[in-house]
Amino acid sequence: MKPEHSKPQPRPGILDITAYVGGRAAVPGVTKVFKLSSNESPLGPSPKALAALGEARASLALYPEGSATILREAIAEVYKLDPARIVTSGDGSDALLTMLANAYLQPGDEALFTEHAFLVYKIATLANSAVPVTVPERDSNTGLKADVDALLAAVTPRTRIVFIANPNNPTGSYLTRDEMARLHAGLPGNVLLVIDAAYGEYVTAKDYDSGIELAATFDNVVMTRTFSKLYGLAGLRIGWMYGPAAICDVINRIRGPFNTALNQQLAGAAALRDRDHFWKAVEHNNSWLPWITAEIRKAGLRVDDSVANFVLIHFPRTGDKTAAAADRFLNQGGIILRPVAGYGLPDCLRMTVGTEEQNRLAVSLLQQFMAA
Ligand SMILES: *Cc1c(COP(=O)(O)O)cnc(C)c1O
């Protein structure tokens, strides 16, 4: 046997990572299943995005333009931003979150996030031998929510990044513009605030800002966005970030030189410019989210208020109505929700807003499960 030091060893922290597992898509033995486990769009992508994918075929022998000008200019136009302060990714916004961690965390540094935060923050932190610091959330009668005071109290001289999803997945809660501004105002200037607005397009609350204002104004704020959720392009893996020129410059140095493929640039740009499809997706969510929330509550379950395209459903910890039992029952009926034990919520399932047929089936199964 060769000694341990004779083989390659990963950086400390990497073997502490629990690899990310996406939402399930199939149930053995059940032929027709609806996947409501990954917050994908029930409307799918814009037909214009699909048409643009075809246009890419003619140029696939060539490298794409490396700075993704086609896509950055479309983003800048639609969101009224400076294209020079946008960086895109062809591996989702997850890759941007990872690159931000790679660029700004040294071994032993601390990254803060909330108790029920998106799992990628912890993975990206551990991958850099940095220390994930989890901050408790507040549990009010409307749901679980980031606690600005607790986050600020957890800042130490080693803190380098605060990751916050707004709205948060899987809780569906959000920080208002003022609460986020207060969080930012309390952070030292050398702490990077990463606002992950993957669900920002869904939020209609007047007191919400996706982070654009802060990222436009301050040297230590970056906002990340994705085409995977409202734009219905999860399979195409496109993300983008907006931030200070100096941070974009840093990410541009470490990203892959052609990290956003031509088909991604063209389809993303076409998806953005199809505002009819955009509003259809928003309206679909606005009509079904309250219905799902109310109907599941009527079945006797706690459902937290959500501003995104999913709800968090709480089940009793013991007895025959647990989250695990509900998960099995729903699976057999052809509905897959997301168990969220990995997010510190073992008694909950997360349900994505689906099509009318999917929503009605899921709700009816939950009602049957509770009545049985
Ligand atoms: C889905 C999701 C993302 C987006 O991931 P992509 O890599 O862009 O598909 C980012 N953050 C949160 C909180 C999410 O739920």
Side-chain angles (χ1 to χ4, degrees):
M1 274 264 287
K2 290 182 180 167
E4 203 51 19
H5 62 256
S6 74
K7 35 178 204 184
Q9 296 296 319
R11 226 201 278 226
I14 290 181
L15 295 180
D16 299 328
I17 293 172
T18 308
Y20 187 92
V21 180
R24 273 172 300 137
V27 181
V30 183
T31 45
K32 191 177 179 192
V33 282
F34 294 126
K35 183 186 181 212
L36 299 179
S37 58
S38 295
N39 299 341
E40 293 139 332
S41 171
L43 273 58
S46 154
K48 292 182 178 159
L50 296 177
L53 274 181
E55 281 165 39
R57 293 168 66 102
S59 307
L60 290 182
L62 306 178
Y63 279 102
E65 189 276 312
S67 77
T69 300
I70 293 169
L71 183 54
R72 286 187 300 109
E73 287 186 345
I75 295 167
E77 176 190 309
V78 169
Y79 289 92
K80 301 191 172 52
L81 303 174
D82 175 0
R85 294 175 55 180
I86 295 166
V87 182
T88 66
S89 154
D91 189 16
S93 53
D94 290 349
L96 293 165
L97 297 166
T98 301
M99 285 191 277
L100 288 163
N102 295 350
Y104 290 96
L105 291 177
Q106 308 229 26
D109 284 347
E110 294 171 0
L112 294 190
F113 34 83
T114 62
E115 196 178 353
H116 308 297
F118 188 46
L119 297 174
V120 168
Y121 313 150
K122 186 175 183 184
I123 293 172
T125 301
L126 287 170
N128 286 286
S129 306
V131 181
V133 177
T134 303
V135 179
E137 294 183 18
R138 274 186 294 130
D139 192 355
S140 70
N141 53 4
T142 53
L144 295 156
K145 177 172 165 170
D147 184 334
V148 171
D149 295 310
L151 279 163
L152 291 176
V155 173
T156 76
R158 304 279 345 223
T159 308
R160 285 293 166 274
I161 299 186
V162 175
F163 286 108
I164 187 148
N166 199 30
N168 187 48
N169 167 18
T171 55
S173 60
Y174 73 105
L175 291 183
T176 65
R177 177 189 290 109
D178 291 350
E179 288 168 331
M180 190 65 87
R182 192 159 72 80
L183 173 60
H184 172 261
L187 295 175
N190 66 345
V191 173
L192 175 61
L193 176 62
V194 178
I195 302 173
D196 173 354
Y199 301 94
E201 288 87 359
Y202 281 109
V203 188
T204 50
K206 294 265 183 299
D207 59 358
Y208 172 79
D209 179 74
S210 62
I212 284 182
E213 283 178 12
L214 288 172
T217 314
F218 294 102
D219 288 339
N220 64 334
V221 183
V222 168
M223 172 194 66
T224 61
R225 302 288 273 253
T226 183
F227 285 81
S228 301
K229 305 289 158 56
L230 184 130
Y231 289 105
L233 287 167
L236 204 55
R237 311 301 306 123
I238 322 165
W240 58 280
M241 60 171 246
Y242 174 65
I247 295 180
C248 292
D249 173 56
V250 164
I251 302 304
N252 278 325
R253 287 167 195 259
I254 63 169
R255 68 173 172 82
F258 305 102
N259 76 331
T260 313
L262 180 63
N263 58 344
Q264 296 175 314
Q265 295 190 40
L266 290 175
L272 280 169
R273 291 191 172 113
D274 188 348
R275 301 319 280 169
D276 287 346
H277 191 77
F278 176 96
W279 287 113
K280 239 191 256 176
V282 172
E283 279 159 25
H284 178 87
N285 202 61
N286 285 346
S287 60
W288 285 102
L289 181 70
W291 184 84
I292 289 169
T293 306
E295 291 298 313
I296 302 176
R297 282 177 183 162
K298 274 190 224 160
L301 292 164
R302 168 178 162 187
V303 182
D304 293 342
D305 285 347
S306 171
V307 294
N309 68 332
F310 55 83
V311 290
L312 187 69
I313 310 166
H314 297 250
F315 294 85
R317 171 147 302 178
T318 56
D320 56 0
K321 306 285 184 219
T322 61
D327 191 34
R328 283 191 296 272
F329 184 85
L330 286 155
N331 283 181
Q332 291 313 307
I335 289 285
I336 304 177
L337 305 189
R338 181 65 158 266
V340 280
Y343 290 85
L345 295 162
D347 301 324
C348 297
L349 296 175
R350 190 192 67 199
M351 172 179 165
T352 305
V353 175
T355 62
E356 170 167 5
E357 181 189 12
Q358 296 166 348
N359 297 334
R360 290 193 186 280
L361 177 60
V363 162
S364 140
L365 287 169
L366 281 166
Q367 286 164 346
Q368 289 167 44
F369 171 74
M370 291 306 288

